[in-house]
Amino acid sequence: MTQQKPSWIPMLVLLAVAIAAAFVPAPGPAVTEGISAGDTAWMLVSAALVLLMTPGLAYFYGGMVNHKNVISTMLQSFIAMGVITVIWVLFGFSLAFGSSIGGFVGNPLDYAMFKGVFDGKPWSLAPTIPFALFAFFQMKFAVITPALISGALAERINFRAFVLFMVLFCVAVYAPLAHWTWHPDGWLFKYGVLDFAGGTVVHMSAGWAALAGAIYLKRRKAHVEANILPPANIPYVLLGTGLLWFGWFGFNAGSAVGAGPLAVSAFATTQVAAASAGLSWVLFDVTRGRKVSALGFSIGAVVGLVAITPASGFVSITAAIFIGTVSAIVSNIAAHWRANSKLDDTLDVFPCHGTGGMMGMLLTGLFASKAINGAVVDTEQGFFITGDPALLIKHIVALVVVSAFAFLGSYALLFITDKIVPLRVTEEEERVGLDISQHDESLVEV
């Protein structure tokens, strides 16, 4: 086993947090007035489903990289469940959902160390479930977002640097975007932008951060030499797709924050969009002379899930067919362009999650209907519903602003991280593979 220079700082930081946590007073009695047992049960299940998506993503990504980097790639998703959970309890939830500071970020002290969460009144937009359950449901979204970014940086990112970047991204990019979009006083929320389950907050932010990372880290040596090894394990990709698809019902239907007709509608649109997109991806491949592939259907289905995410609670089931089909074609074209460029986004995170998230945001502006969700303003329904472009224009403005913020913010954080811990592994470590060079573990005997 290869030794590396000891580093005490991360352990000391965690010990300091643990000691501080030991002195936090116990919360008072939980608020029970107005709480629905049915809604609470559904949201407990939904929160668990969303968490399951992160191991699903690990298998999805792990199967697509070469055999020398499977464990490292998968661990980058699993470590997010540890790191982001602690950050969320410390102050992440407060940054996203604390009292608004100018509509841009929450007060980090409001719910620091989850103060006032277990004994607090329910969130205003989720009045029938305990406030703590809402906080933990939202935590799972924060967990998977930086894990999504890892696919673009796979096979060349220093693991310790990635963990640091993950923390900075959660604090400086994810939490503000969540506040803008989902807090009643957030500026995008007040502007009228609709994002039911995270197309803007999760997928666009991850996609643009992935693009920033791919540019900053530059190309892998194997990419420069056009010597890319085949995926390590396609069955892993299929397993990951299944787990993601299953978990996505909690992601989207759970965002109704209750067990009612809206959750059913989001559940249905999720299934239909994923199915349509999976078919669209492979059939589009066929029109270009390619064979139907397991990898193609898996990627297409995930793109459909991404694209329906912001729209899932605002559009009809038939609109979901259009959203899934068209988004898969656009992402397929973007992935094909990326493959023929010098951009080394290892697992096409930007073409799939970034492009899919943007397509979903724009198509929400076309199909959002008050008949599906009463929260949609009469005068600002989708363009195809009323012929009024007001909502679509707002979504275009939000798309530009969010894209610029996520890309430039992530690039700046990559620069800062690189000055603290080098982001890129050495050429020799890259040649050996990150499983061995970063973790002294291997998928195969060496």
Side-chain angles (χ1 to χ4, degrees):
M1 181 176 288
T2 306
Q3 294 294 316
Q4 64 180 22
K5 183 178 179 181
S7 177
W8 285 90
I9 294 176
M11 188 69 246
L12 291 175
V13 169
L14 181 58
L15 282 173
V17 169
I19 292 169
F23 290 94
V24 174
V31 174
T32 58
E33 183 179 357
I35 299 299
S36 163
D39 288 348
T40 300
W42 166 238
M43 292 307 297
L44 284 167
V45 172
S46 292
L49 286 171
V50 180
L51 185 64
L52 181 66
M53 293 172 66
T54 300
L57 181 70
Y59 275 97
F60 185 72
Y61 280 174
M64 286 194 279
V65 295
N66 73 65
H67 66 87
K68 299 184 296 183
N69 299 298
V70 173
I71 295 170
S72 175
T73 300
M74 295 181 74
L75 182 57
Q76 286 165 14
S77 289
F78 275 89
I79 200 71
M81 293 195 288
V83 173
I84 302 303
T85 294
V86 174
I87 295 296
W88 197 248
V89 170
L90 288 178
F91 53 79
F93 176 65
S94 198
L95 284 172
F97 293 97
S99 55
S100 189
I101 301 176
F104 292 98
V105 72
N107 186 330
L109 300 179
D110 279 359
Y111 306 118
M113 287 286 194
F114 262 33
K115 176 188 66 177
V117 173
F118 275 90
D119 52 356
K121 294 181 180 179
W123 184 246
S124 61
L125 300 179
T128 61
I129 64 172
F131 189 35
L133 178 53
F134 173 77
F136 273 86
F137 178 68
Q138 288 294 336
M139 174 195 289
K140 308 313 190 311
F141 288 72
V143 165
I144 198 170
T145 305
L148 289 169
I149 301 168
S150 67
L153 318 176
E155 304 188 339
R156 64 198 188 280
I157 184 79
N158 181 323
F159 181 77
R160 289 182 295 170
F162 177 73
V163 172
L164 176 58
F165 171 74
M166 183 190 306
V167 172
L168 298 177
F169 176 86
C170 180
V171 171
V173 176
Y174 180 86
L177 280 177
H179 187 85
W180 296 4
T181 309
W182 289 331
H183 194 289
D185 293 323
W187 78 268
L188 281 182
F189 188 100
K190 295 175 75 172
Y191 185 51
V193 171
L194 303 177
D195 183 359
F196 192 73
T200 305
V201 181
V202 176
H203 298 290
M204 279 182 58
S205 70
W208 283 106
L211 181 62
I215 294 171
Y216 190 91
L217 282 178
K218 300 181 174 59
R219 301 165 71 188
R220 290 163 291 164
K221 185 174 177 60
H223 190 269
V224 173
E225 297 173 348
N227 186 32
I228 303 297
L229 295 175
N233 195 317
I234 297 299
Y236 271 19
V237 179
L238 289 168
L239 174 61
T241 303
L243 292 172
L244 284 167
W245 196 329
F246 180 63
W248 226 291
F249 292 119
F251 203 79
N252 288 354
S255 292
V257 292
L262 185 57
V264 174
S265 181
F267 188 103
T269 56
T270 299
Q271 173 67 19
V272 170
S276 302
L279 293 173
S280 177
W281 189 287
V282 295
L283 293 178
F284 189 69
D285 279 349
V286 169
T287 65
R288 297 165 56 194
R290 295 185 174 184
K291 295 180 180 179
V292 173
S293 68
L295 192 62
F297 184 83
S298 296
I299 294 171
V302 170
V303 168
L305 292 165
V306 169
I308 198 61
T309 291
S312 56
F314 299 117
V315 305
S316 67
I317 294 173
T318 50
I321 297 175
F322 182 91
I323 291 171
T325 301
V326 173
S327 297
I329 293 171
V330 173
S331 287
N332 190 310
I333 293 170
H336 182 72
W337 167 83
R338 201 284 311 163
N340 289 284
S341 73
K342 292 184 178 180
L343 177 65
D344 188 10
D345 178 341
T346 311
L347 302 181
D348 282 327
V349 178
F350 180 73
C352 295
H353 290 274
T355 302
M358 287 186 283
M359 286 298 298
M361 188 178 191
L362 293 175
L363 294 174
T364 303
L366 294 181
F367 292 106
S369 170
K370 186 174 179 63
I372 303 297
N373 190 328
V376 178
V377 179
D378 280 325
T379 56
E380 292 188 3
Q381 298 185 78
F383 178 71
F384 283 178
I385 305 297
T386 63
D388 186 342
L391 180 63
L392 179 60
I393 291 171
K394 288 183 176 183
H395 278 212
I396 293 171
V397 171
L399 184 150
V400 172
V401 174
V402 170
S403 298
F405 174 76
F407 177 80
L408 296 175
S410 297
Y411 197 91
L413 295 177
L414 288 162
F415 178 82
I416 293 169
T417 301
D418 199 22
K419 297 303 176 184
I420 300 171
V421 182
L423 274 170
R424 185 75 185 255
V425 298
T426 66
E427 187 173 308
E428 175 61 18
E429 288 173 327
E430 185 179 333
R431 184 193 66 78
V432 171
L434 272 58
D435 289 358
I436 292 293
S437 67
Q438 300 292 294
H439 310 292
D440 275 327
E441 295 174 317
S442 177
L443 183 67
V444 295
E445 292 185 11
V446 294

